[in-house]
Amino acid sequence: MDISDILTSVSAHPSPPAQSLDLQALTRAWVNERVAPEVLPWPEELMGRVMRGVAKLIERVEEQTATMDPKTNFLVVIMQTELERWKFLVRSFLRARIAKIDKHILHYLSPTQRTRLSTSEIQYATTHQTLLHAHYHSSFLAQFPVGLQKLDDTAGGIAMVEVPDAEKAVFVRGLRPDPVRVSVEGTEMDFQVGRGEVVVVRWSAVKSAVEDGDLECV
């Protein structure tokens, strides 16, 4: 058996369409998360399917690793390569989210924002903030008057909690057959983005369209 026979057998069993769509959706979610200045809503259903698929792929690799058949071993190499691709996307996606959570942790723990996080992310952020607050308190906050020990104070109309920059410029591309209307608040800019068109605009103007899947970050 030569390499062409092995590749032919692999091509005869293509990935299911649903798996290909999940890979495309995960890649898009990864790029969006890396580009957007704030954490995007957690894709619960997508990540559930992805993690189940990764678990099944790991089981298949483990089942066939013990065999010494050259054909099977080559197929294992292909499956391991595919597994590493999925793992890279998942890890990078999660790291991008954690980096933004760490930067604006009090913001994302607020009641209006924590719905964007997964259960594990909320647990992580809560534990992280608890440890950080304990460290600050033992280091210097305990020396301040009680009224000045809050880390989320809004006295004087000035909020201590730092929020993401919604006015950051991002590149987005149209995904829908029908043009997507974009209006930039505070300006006279009002235009449409067709499928495949790429524009640079403030995040605040395209946030809803990206979250709805009408536009994607690039």
Side-chain angles (χ1 to χ4, degrees):
M1 176 178 291
D2 57 21
I3 187 67
S4 60
D5 295 327
I6 297 176
L7 291 176
T8 299
S9 65
V10 173
S11 301
H13 301 85
S15 299
Q19 183 177 355
S20 299
L21 292 176
D22 282 345
L23 179 60
Q24 182 183 40
L26 178 60
T27 303
R28 179 169 293 149
W30 168 57
V31 175
N32 286 343
E33 201 65 64
R34 287 174 58 88
V35 174
E38 62 180 323
V39 173
L40 299 176
W42 174 254
E44 182 72 34
E45 294 184 3
L46 171 62
M47 293 307 296
R49 293 195 304 270
V50 167
M51 297 311 297
R52 288 192 295 270
V54 169
K56 290 180 180 178
L57 193 54
I58 291 176
E59 290 178 1
R60 290 180 59 193
V61 171
E62 292 177 344
E63 288 173 357
Q64 300 190 34
T65 298
T67 181
M68 297 302 294
D69 179 61
K71 175 182 177 181
T72 305
N73 285 345
F74 188 78
L75 292 176
V76 170
V77 172
I78 295 177
M79 287 191 293
Q80 288 176 328
T81 303
E82 179 71 3
L83 176 61
E84 289 304 315
R85 175 168 66 162
W86 282 96
K87 289 166 63 177
F88 168 79
L89 287 173
V90 171
R91 288 171 177 167
S92 186
F93 173 69
L94 294 177
R95 285 171 180 164
R97 293 178 62 86
I98 291 298
K100 288 188 280 189
I101 292 172
D102 284 344
K103 188 175 182 180
H104 306 289
I105 193 163
L106 287 176
H107 171 70
Y108 290 116
L109 284 176
S110 65
T112 58
Q113 295 296 321
R114 63 192 300 139
T115 55
R116 292 177 166 268
L117 311 182
S118 67
T119 302
S120 297
E121 288 172 337
I122 293 175
Q123 294 174 347
Y124 163 79
T126 302
T127 303
H128 183 280
Q129 182 57 29
T130 300
L131 294 173
L132 192 62
H133 187 273
H135 171 67
Y136 286 164
H137 189 272
S138 62
S139 298
F140 59 88
L141 284 179
Q143 303 175 27
F144 293 171
V146 176
L148 299 179
Q149 293 183 9
K150 292 183 178 181
L151 297 178
D152 57 352
D153 197 3
T154 58
I158 301 177
M160 293 180 60
V161 178
E162 185 180 0
V163 300
D165 182 12
E167 302 308 307
K168 176 184 177 181
V170 296
F171 286 89
V172 294
R173 176 168 49 215
L175 296 175
R176 301 302 185 194
D178 298 327
V180 178
R181 182 178 178 180
V182 175
S183 300
V184 182
E185 186 177 355
T187 71
E188 297 181 356
M189 293 183 62
D190 189 298
F191 55 94
Q192 293 184 329
V193 182
R195 172 182 283 180
E197 293 183 347
V198 177
V199 298
V200 57
V201 65
R202 296 177 187 174
W203 169 249
S204 58
V206 295
K207 172 182 174 180
S208 298
V210 171
E211 293 181 356
D212 292 340
D214 297 331
L215 301 173
E216 67 175 351
C217 296
V218 295

Short mmCIF file of all heavy atoms in Angstrom, two decimals, residues 80-132:
data_model
loop_
_atom_site.label_atom_id
_atom_site.label_comp_id
_atom_site.label_asym_id
_atom_site.label_seq_id
_atom_site.Cartn_x
_atom_site.Cartn_y
_atom_site.Cartn_z
N GLN A 80 -4.69 13.16 14.65
CA GLN A 80 -3.98 13.95 15.65
C GLN A 80 -3.75 15.37 15.16
O GLN A 80 -3.85 16.33 15.94
CB GLN A 80 -2.64 13.29 15.99
CG GLN A 80 -2.77 12.02 16.80
CD GLN A 80 -1.45 11.34 17.03
OE1 GLN A 80 -0.54 11.41 16.19
NE2 GLN A 80 -1.31 10.67 18.16
N THR A 81 -3.46 15.51 13.87
CA THR A 81 -3.29 16.85 13.30
C THR A 81 -4.60 17.64 13.37
O THR A 81 -4.60 18.82 13.71
CB THR A 81 -2.82 16.75 11.83
OG1 THR A 81 -1.60 16.00 11.78
CG2 THR A 81 -2.58 18.14 11.25
N GLU A 82 -5.70 16.97 13.04
CA GLU A 82 -7.01 17.61 13.12
C GLU A 82 -7.34 17.98 14.56
O GLU A 82 -7.88 19.07 14.83
CB GLU A 82 -8.08 16.67 12.57
CG GLU A 82 -9.50 17.21 12.60
CD GLU A 82 -9.74 18.32 11.60
OE1 GLU A 82 -8.81 18.64 10.82
OE2 GLU A 82 -10.86 18.87 11.59
N LEU A 83 -7.01 17.09 15.49
CA LEU A 83 -7.26 17.35 16.91
C LEU A 83 -6.48 18.58 17.38
O LEU A 83 -7.03 19.42 18.11
CB LEU A 83 -6.86 16.12 17.73
CG LEU A 83 -6.97 16.24 19.25
CD1 LEU A 83 -8.42 16.53 19.66
CD2 LEU A 83 -6.46 14.97 19.93
N GLU A 84 -5.22 18.69 16.96
CA GLU A 84 -4.41 19.84 17.37
C GLU A 84 -4.98 21.14 16.81
O GLU A 84 -4.88 22.18 17.46
CB GLU A 84 -2.97 19.65 16.91
CG GLU A 84 -2.22 18.58 17.67
CD GLU A 84 -2.22 18.82 19.18
OE1 GLU A 84 -1.99 19.97 19.59
OE2 GLU A 84 -2.47 17.86 19.93
N ARG A 85 -5.57 21.08 15.61
CA ARG A 85 -6.17 22.29 15.04
C ARG A 85 -7.35 22.75 15.90
O ARG A 85 -7.46 23.94 16.22
CB ARG A 85 -6.64 22.02 13.61
CG ARG A 85 -7.37 23.21 13.00
CD ARG A 85 -7.58 23.08 11.52
NE ARG A 85 -8.47 21.99 11.15
CZ ARG A 85 -9.07 21.88 9.97
NH1 ARG A 85 -8.86 22.80 9.04
NH2 ARG A 85 -9.85 20.86 9.70
N TRP A 86 -8.20 21.81 16.29
CA TRP A 86 -9.35 22.16 17.15
C TRP A 86 -8.88 22.70 18.49
O TRP A 86 -9.38 23.70 19.00
CB TRP A 86 -10.23 20.93 17.36
CG TRP A 86 -11.11 20.59 16.22
CD1 TRP A 86 -10.86 19.68 15.23
CD2 TRP A 86 -12.40 21.14 15.91
NE1 TRP A 86 -11.91 19.63 14.35
CE2 TRP A 86 -12.86 20.50 14.74
CE3 TRP A 86 -13.20 22.09 16.52
CZ2 TRP A 86 -14.09 20.81 14.16
CZ3 TRP A 86 -14.43 22.39 15.95
CH2 TRP A 86 -14.87 21.77 14.79
N LYS A 87 -7.88 22.03 19.09
CA LYS A 87 -7.39 22.45 20.39
C LYS A 87 -6.76 23.84 20.34
O LYS A 87 -6.92 24.63 21.28
CB LYS A 87 -6.38 21.42 20.92
CG LYS A 87 -7.01 20.10 21.32
CD LYS A 87 -5.99 19.00 21.52
CE LYS A 87 -5.04 19.30 22.65
NZ LYS A 87 -4.09 18.17 22.88
N PHE A 88 -6.05 24.14 19.26
CA PHE A 88 -5.45 25.47 19.12
C PHE A 88 -6.53 26.55 19.09
O PHE A 88 -6.42 27.58 19.77
CB PHE A 88 -4.62 25.55 17.85
CG PHE A 88 -4.21 26.95 17.49
CD1 PHE A 88 -3.16 27.58 18.13
CD2 PHE A 88 -4.91 27.66 16.51
CE1 PHE A 88 -2.80 28.89 17.82
CE2 PHE A 88 -4.57 28.96 16.19
CZ PHE A 88 -3.50 29.58 16.85
N LEU A 89 -7.58 26.32 18.30
CA LEU A 89 -8.65 27.32 18.19
C LEU A 89 -9.35 27.53 19.53
O LEU A 89 -9.62 28.66 19.92
CB LEU A 89 -9.66 26.88 17.12
CG LEU A 89 -9.20 26.99 15.67
CD1 LEU A 89 -10.24 26.36 14.74
CD2 LEU A 89 -8.97 28.44 15.28
N VAL A 90 -9.65 26.43 20.23
CA VAL A 90 -10.34 26.54 21.52
C VAL A 90 -9.47 27.28 22.52
O VAL A 90 -9.93 28.19 23.22
CB VAL A 90 -10.72 25.14 22.05
CG1 VAL A 90 -11.24 25.24 23.48
CG2 VAL A 90 -11.77 24.49 21.16
N ARG A 91 -8.20 26.91 22.62
CA ARG A 91 -7.31 27.55 23.58
C ARG A 91 -7.13 29.03 23.28
O ARG A 91 -7.19 29.87 24.19
CB ARG A 91 -5.95 26.85 23.56
CG ARG A 91 -5.96 25.47 24.20
CD ARG A 91 -4.64 24.77 23.95
NE ARG A 91 -4.58 23.46 24.60
CZ ARG A 91 -3.66 22.54 24.34
NH1 ARG A 91 -2.72 22.80 23.43
NH2 ARG A 91 -3.67 21.38 24.98
N SER A 92 -6.90 29.35 22.03
CA SER A 92 -6.69 30.75 21.66
C SER A 92 -7.95 31.58 21.89
O SER A 92 -7.89 32.74 22.33
CB SER A 92 -6.25 30.85 20.20
OG SER A 92 -5.91 32.17 19.85
N PHE A 93 -9.11 30.99 21.60
CA PHE A 93 -10.39 31.65 21.83
C PHE A 93 -10.57 31.97 23.31
O PHE A 93 -10.93 33.09 23.69
CB PHE A 93 -11.52 30.75 21.32
CG PHE A 93 -12.91 31.23 21.63
CD1 PHE A 93 -13.42 32.36 21.02
CD2 PHE A 93 -13.71 30.55 22.54
CE1 PHE A 93 -14.71 32.80 21.30
CE2 PHE A 93 -14.98 30.97 22.82
CZ PHE A 93 -15.48 32.11 22.21
N LEU A 94 -10.31 30.97 24.16
CA LEU A 94 -10.47 31.16 25.60
C LEU A 94 -9.45 32.15 26.16
O LEU A 94 -9.77 32.96 27.03
CB LEU A 94 -10.34 29.82 26.32
CG LEU A 94 -11.45 28.79 26.02
CD1 LEU A 94 -11.17 27.48 26.75
CD2 LEU A 94 -12.82 29.34 26.41
N ARG A 95 -8.22 32.10 25.66
CA ARG A 95 -7.19 33.03 26.13
C ARG A 95 -7.54 34.47 25.80
O ARG A 95 -7.30 35.39 26.59
CB ARG A 95 -5.84 32.66 25.53
CG ARG A 95 -5.20 31.43 26.16
CD ARG A 95 -3.97 30.99 25.39
NE ARG A 95 -3.36 29.81 26.01
CZ ARG A 95 -2.48 29.03 25.40
NH1 ARG A 95 -2.11 29.30 24.15
NH2 ARG A 95 -1.96 27.98 26.03
N ALA A 96 -8.11 34.68 24.61
CA ALA A 96 -8.52 36.03 24.22
C ALA A 96 -9.59 36.56 25.16
O ALA A 96 -9.58 37.73 25.55
CB ALA A 96 -9.02 36.03 22.78
N ARG A 97 -10.53 35.69 25.54
CA ARG A 97 -11.59 36.10 26.46
C ARG A 97 -11.05 36.36 27.86
O ARG A 97 -11.38 37.37 28.49
CB ARG A 97 -12.68 35.02 26.50
CG ARG A 97 -13.45 34.86 25.20
CD ARG A 97 -14.47 33.73 25.30
NE ARG A 97 -15.49 33.98 26.30
CZ ARG A 97 -16.60 34.68 26.09
NH1 ARG A 97 -16.83 35.21 24.90
NH2 ARG A 97 -17.48 34.86 27.06
N ILE A 98 -10.19 35.47 28.34
CA ILE A 98 -9.64 35.63 29.69
C ILE A 98 -8.81 36.91 29.78
O ILE A 98 -8.84 37.61 30.81
CB ILE A 98 -8.79 34.41 30.07
CG1 ILE A 98 -9.68 33.17 30.26
CG2 ILE A 98 -7.99 34.67 31.34
CD1 ILE A 98 -10.68 33.30 31.36
N ALA A 99 -8.06 37.24 28.74
CA ALA A 99 -7.24 38.45 28.75
C ALA A 99 -8.11 39.70 28.92
O ALA A 99 -7.76 40.62 29.68
CB ALA A 99 -6.42 38.55 27.46
N LYS A 100 -9.26 39.71 28.25
CA LYS A 100 -10.16 40.87 28.37
C LYS A 100 -10.89 40.88 29.71
O LYS A 100 -11.14 41.94 30.27
CB LYS A 100 -11.16 40.87 27.19
CG LYS A 100 -10.50 41.23 25.87
CD LYS A 100 -11.50 41.42 24.75
CE LYS A 100 -11.94 40.12 24.16
NZ LYS A 100 -12.75 40.30 22.93
N ILE A 101 -11.21 39.70 30.22
CA ILE A 101 -11.84 39.63 31.54
C ILE A 101 -10.87 40.14 32.61
O ILE A 101 -11.25 40.90 33.50
CB ILE A 101 -12.28 38.18 31.85
CG1 ILE A 101 -13.43 37.77 30.93
CG2 ILE A 101 -12.71 38.05 33.31
CD1 ILE A 101 -13.81 36.31 31.02
N ASP A 102 -9.61 39.72 32.53
CA ASP A 102 -8.61 40.16 33.50
C ASP A 102 -8.43 41.68 33.47
O ASP A 102 -8.22 42.32 34.50
CB ASP A 102 -7.27 39.49 33.22
CG ASP A 102 -7.23 38.04 33.67
OD1 ASP A 102 -8.12 37.65 34.45
OD2 ASP A 102 -6.33 37.30 33.22
N LYS A 103 -8.51 42.26 32.28
CA LYS A 103 -8.28 43.69 32.13
C LYS A 103 -9.43 44.52 32.70
O LYS A 103 -9.21 45.62 33.23
CB LYS A 103 -8.07 44.02 30.66
CG LYS A 103 -7.65 45.46 30.40
CD LYS A 103 -7.34 45.69 28.93
CE LYS A 103 -6.88 47.12 28.69
NZ LYS A 103 -6.57 47.36 27.24
N HIS A 104 -10.64 44.01 32.58
CA HIS A 104 -11.83 44.76 33.04
C HIS A 104 -12.69 43.86 33.93
O HIS A 104 -13.89 43.73 33.71
CB HIS A 104 -12.64 45.25 31.85
CG HIS A 104 -11.86 46.05 30.86
ND1 HIS A 104 -11.41 47.32 31.11
CD2 HIS A 104 -11.44 45.76 29.60
CE1 HIS A 104 -10.76 47.79 30.06
NE2 HIS A 104 -10.76 46.86 29.13
N ILE A 105 -12.08 43.27 34.93
CA ILE A 105 -12.76 42.21 35.69
C ILE A 105 -13.98 42.71 36.44
O ILE A 105 -15.03 42.06 36.46
CB ILE A 105 -11.75 41.53 36.64
CG1 ILE A 105 -12.34 40.24 37.17
CG2 ILE A 105 -11.31 42.46 37.76
CD1 ILE A 105 -11.30 39.32 37.78
N LEU A 106 -13.91 43.89 37.05
CA LEU A 106 -15.07 44.42 37.78
C LEU A 106 -16.21 44.76 36.82
O LEU A 106 -17.38 44.61 37.16
CB LEU A 106 -14.67 45.65 38.58
CG LEU A 106 -13.81 45.39 39.82
CD1 LEU A 106 -13.40 46.71 40.48
CD2 LEU A 106 -14.56 44.53 40.83
N HIS A 107 -15.87 45.21 35.64
CA HIS A 107 -16.88 45.53 34.63
C HIS A 107 -17.67 44.28 34.25
O HIS A 107 -18.90 44.32 34.17
CB HIS A 107 -16.20 46.13 33.41
CG HIS A 107 -17.09 46.31 32.23
ND1 HIS A 107 -18.10 47.24 32.19
CD2 HIS A 107 -17.14 45.66 31.02
CE1 HIS A 107 -18.73 47.17 31.03
NE2 HIS A 107 -18.18 46.22 30.31
N TYR A 108 -16.98 43.17 34.04
CA TYR A 108 -17.65 41.95 33.59
C TYR A 108 -18.34 41.19 34.72
O TYR A 108 -19.12 40.28 34.46
CB TYR A 108 -16.66 41.04 32.86
CG TYR A 108 -16.26 41.61 31.52
CD1 TYR A 108 -14.95 41.99 31.27
CD2 TYR A 108 -17.21 41.81 30.52
CE1 TYR A 108 -14.60 42.55 30.04
CE2 TYR A 108 -16.87 42.36 29.30
CZ TYR A 108 -15.56 42.73 29.06
OH TYR A 108 -15.22 43.27 27.86
N LEU A 109 -18.04 41.56 35.96
CA LEU A 109 -18.75 40.96 37.07
C LEU A 109 -20.01 41.72 37.43
O LEU A 109 -20.76 41.30 38.33
CB LEU A 109 -17.83 40.87 38.30
CG LEU A 109 -16.77 39.76 38.26
CD1 LEU A 109 -15.87 39.85 39.48
CD2 LEU A 109 -17.42 38.39 38.16
N SER A 110 -20.26 42.83 36.76
CA SER A 110 -21.47 43.60 37.01
C SER A 110 -22.68 42.83 36.49
O SER A 110 -22.57 42.02 35.55
CB SER A 110 -21.39 44.97 36.34
OG SER A 110 -21.36 44.83 34.93
N PRO A 111 -23.86 43.04 37.07
CA PRO A 111 -25.05 42.28 36.66
C PRO A 111 -25.38 42.40 35.17
O PRO A 111 -25.89 41.45 34.58
CB PRO A 111 -26.16 42.90 37.52
CG PRO A 111 -25.46 43.44 38.72
CD PRO A 111 -24.13 43.93 38.21
N THR A 112 -25.09 43.54 34.56
CA THR A 112 -25.45 43.73 33.15
C THR A 112 -24.47 43.05 32.20
O THR A 112 -24.80 42.83 31.03
CB THR A 112 -25.50 45.23 32.81
OG1 THR A 112 -24.22 45.82 33.10
CG2 THR A 112 -26.58 45.93 33.64
N GLN A 113 -23.28 42.71 32.67
CA GLN A 113 -22.25 42.16 31.79
C GLN A 113 -21.94 40.69 32.03
O GLN A 113 -21.45 40.01 31.13
CB GLN A 113 -20.95 42.97 31.95
CG GLN A 113 -21.05 44.41 31.49
CD GLN A 113 -21.32 44.54 30.01
OE1 GLN A 113 -20.78 43.79 29.19
NE2 GLN A 113 -22.18 45.49 29.64
N ARG A 114 -22.23 40.19 33.20
CA ARG A 114 -21.84 38.81 33.51
C ARG A 114 -22.60 37.79 32.68
O ARG A 114 -22.18 36.63 32.57
CB ARG A 114 -21.99 38.52 35.00
CG ARG A 114 -23.39 38.61 35.54
CD ARG A 114 -23.38 38.59 37.06
NE ARG A 114 -22.78 37.39 37.60
CZ ARG A 114 -21.96 37.34 38.64
NH1 ARG A 114 -21.60 38.45 39.24
NH2 ARG A 114 -21.49 36.19 39.08
N THR A 115 -23.71 38.20 32.06
CA THR A 115 -24.44 37.29 31.18
C THR A 115 -23.63 36.96 29.92
O THR A 115 -23.96 36.00 29.22
CB THR A 115 -25.79 37.91 30.76
OG1 THR A 115 -25.56 39.20 30.17
CG2 THR A 115 -26.70 38.07 31.96
N ARG A 116 -22.60 37.73 29.64
CA ARG A 116 -21.74 37.47 28.48
C ARG A 116 -20.76 36.33 28.75
O ARG A 116 -20.15 35.81 27.82
CB ARG A 116 -20.95 38.72 28.10
CG ARG A 116 -21.78 39.85 27.55
CD ARG A 116 -20.95 41.09 27.26
NE ARG A 116 -21.72 42.01 26.44
CZ ARG A 116 -21.70 42.04 25.12
NH1 ARG A 116 -20.91 41.22 24.48
NH2 ARG A 116 -22.44 42.88 24.44
N LEU A 117 -20.59 35.98 30.01
CA LEU A 117 -19.59 35.00 30.40
C LEU A 117 -20.18 33.61 30.58
O LEU A 117 -21.37 33.46 30.88
CB LEU A 117 -18.89 35.43 31.69
CG LEU A 117 -18.36 36.86 31.78
CD1 LEU A 117 -17.66 37.09 33.11
CD2 LEU A 117 -17.44 37.18 30.61
N SER A 118 -19.34 32.61 30.45
CA SER A 118 -19.76 31.24 30.75
C SER A 118 -19.72 31.04 32.26
O SER A 118 -19.16 31.87 33.00
CB SER A 118 -18.82 30.25 30.07
OG SER A 118 -17.52 30.31 30.65
N THR A 119 -20.29 29.95 32.72
CA THR A 119 -20.29 29.65 34.16
C THR A 119 -18.86 29.55 34.69
O THR A 119 -18.55 30.08 35.76
CB THR A 119 -21.03 28.34 34.43
OG1 THR A 119 -22.37 28.44 33.95
CG2 THR A 119 -21.07 28.04 35.93
N SER A 120 -17.98 28.90 33.95
CA SER A 120 -16.58 28.76 34.37
C SER A 120 -15.88 30.11 34.41
O SER A 120 -15.06 30.37 35.30
CB SER A 120 -15.84 27.81 33.43
OG SER A 120 -16.39 26.51 33.48
N GLU A 121 -16.19 30.97 33.44
CA GLU A 121 -15.56 32.29 33.42
C GLU A 121 -16.02 33.15 34.59
O GLU A 121 -15.23 33.90 35.17
CB GLU A 121 -15.87 32.99 32.09
CG GLU A 121 -15.13 32.39 30.91
CD GLU A 121 -15.59 32.95 29.58
OE1 GLU A 121 -16.72 33.47 29.50
OE2 GLU A 121 -14.82 32.87 28.60
N ILE A 122 -17.29 33.03 34.96
CA ILE A 122 -17.80 33.77 36.12
C ILE A 122 -17.10 33.30 37.39
O ILE A 122 -16.69 34.11 38.24
CB ILE A 122 -19.32 33.61 36.24
CG1 ILE A 122 -20.03 34.30 35.06
CG2 ILE A 122 -19.82 34.19 37.56
CD1 ILE A 122 -21.53 34.09 35.04
N GLN A 123 -16.95 31.98 37.52
CA GLN A 123 -16.26 31.43 38.68
C GLN A 123 -14.81 31.90 38.72
O GLN A 123 -14.29 32.28 39.78
CB GLN A 123 -16.31 29.90 38.66
CG GLN A 123 -17.72 29.33 38.83
CD GLN A 123 -17.76 27.83 38.66
OE1 GLN A 123 -16.80 27.21 38.19
NE2 GLN A 123 -18.87 27.22 39.05
N TYR A 124 -14.16 31.88 37.57
CA TYR A 124 -12.76 32.34 37.50
C TYR A 124 -12.66 33.81 37.88
O TYR A 124 -11.81 34.19 38.70
CB TYR A 124 -12.22 32.13 36.08
CG TYR A 124 -10.96 32.93 35.80
CD1 TYR A 124 -9.73 32.48 36.27
CD2 TYR A 124 -11.02 34.14 35.10
CE1 TYR A 124 -8.58 33.22 36.03
CE2 TYR A 124 -9.88 34.88 34.87
CZ TYR A 124 -8.65 34.42 35.34
OH TYR A 124 -7.52 35.16 35.11
N ALA A 125 -13.51 34.65 37.29
CA ALA A 125 -13.46 36.09 37.55
C ALA A 125 -13.76 36.40 39.02
O ALA A 125 -13.10 37.26 39.62
CB ALA A 125 -14.45 36.82 36.64
N THR A 126 -14.73 35.70 39.58
CA THR A 126 -15.09 35.93 40.99
C THR A 126 -13.93 35.56 41.91
O THR A 126 -13.58 36.32 42.82
CB THR A 126 -16.33 35.11 41.36
OG1 THR A 126 -17.41 35.47 40.49
CG2 THR A 126 -16.74 35.37 42.80
N THR A 127 -13.33 34.39 41.70
CA THR A 127 -12.20 33.96 42.52
C THR A 127 -11.00 34.89 42.34
O THR A 127 -10.34 35.26 43.32
CB THR A 127 -11.78 32.52 42.14
OG1 THR A 127 -12.90 31.65 42.29
CG2 THR A 127 -10.65 32.04 43.02
N HIS A 128 -10.74 35.26 41.09
CA HIS A 128 -9.62 36.17 40.79
C HIS A 128 -9.80 37.50 41.52
O HIS A 128 -8.87 38.02 42.15
CB HIS A 128 -9.54 36.38 39.29
CG HIS A 128 -8.39 37.23 38.85
ND1 HIS A 128 -8.40 38.61 38.93
CD2 HIS A 128 -7.18 36.91 38.33
CE1 HIS A 128 -7.27 39.10 38.47
NE2 HIS A 128 -6.51 38.09 38.10
N GLN A 129 -11.00 38.07 41.45
CA GLN A 129 -11.25 39.36 42.08
C GLN A 129 -11.20 39.26 43.60
O GLN A 129 -10.73 40.18 44.28
CB GLN A 129 -12.60 39.92 41.63
CG GLN A 129 -12.95 41.28 42.20
CD GLN A 129 -11.91 42.33 41.88
OE1 GLN A 129 -11.21 42.26 40.86
NE2 GLN A 129 -11.79 43.33 42.75
N THR A 130 -11.67 38.14 44.14
CA THR A 130 -11.63 37.95 45.60
C THR A 130 -10.19 37.92 46.10
O THR A 130 -9.85 38.58 47.09
CB THR A 130 -12.33 36.64 45.98
OG1 THR A 130 -13.70 36.70 45.57
CG2 THR A 130 -12.28 36.42 47.49
N LEU A 131 -9.34 37.20 45.41
CA LEU A 131 -7.92 37.12 45.78
C LEU A 131 -7.24 38.48 45.60
O LEU A 131 -6.43 38.89 46.45
CB LEU A 131 -7.22 36.06 44.94
CG LEU A 131 -7.64 34.61 45.16
CD1 LEU A 131 -6.97 33.70 44.15
CD2 LEU A 131 -7.31 34.17 46.58
N LEU A 132 -7.58 39.16 44.52
CA LEU A 132 -6.96 40.46 44.26
C LEU A 132 -7.38 41.49 45.31
O LEU A 132 -6.54 42.26 45.80
CB LEU A 132 -7.37 40.94 42.86
CG LEU A 132 -6.61 42.15 42.29
CD1 LEU A 132 -5.13 41.81 42.12
CD2 LEU A 132 -7.20 42.55 40.93
#
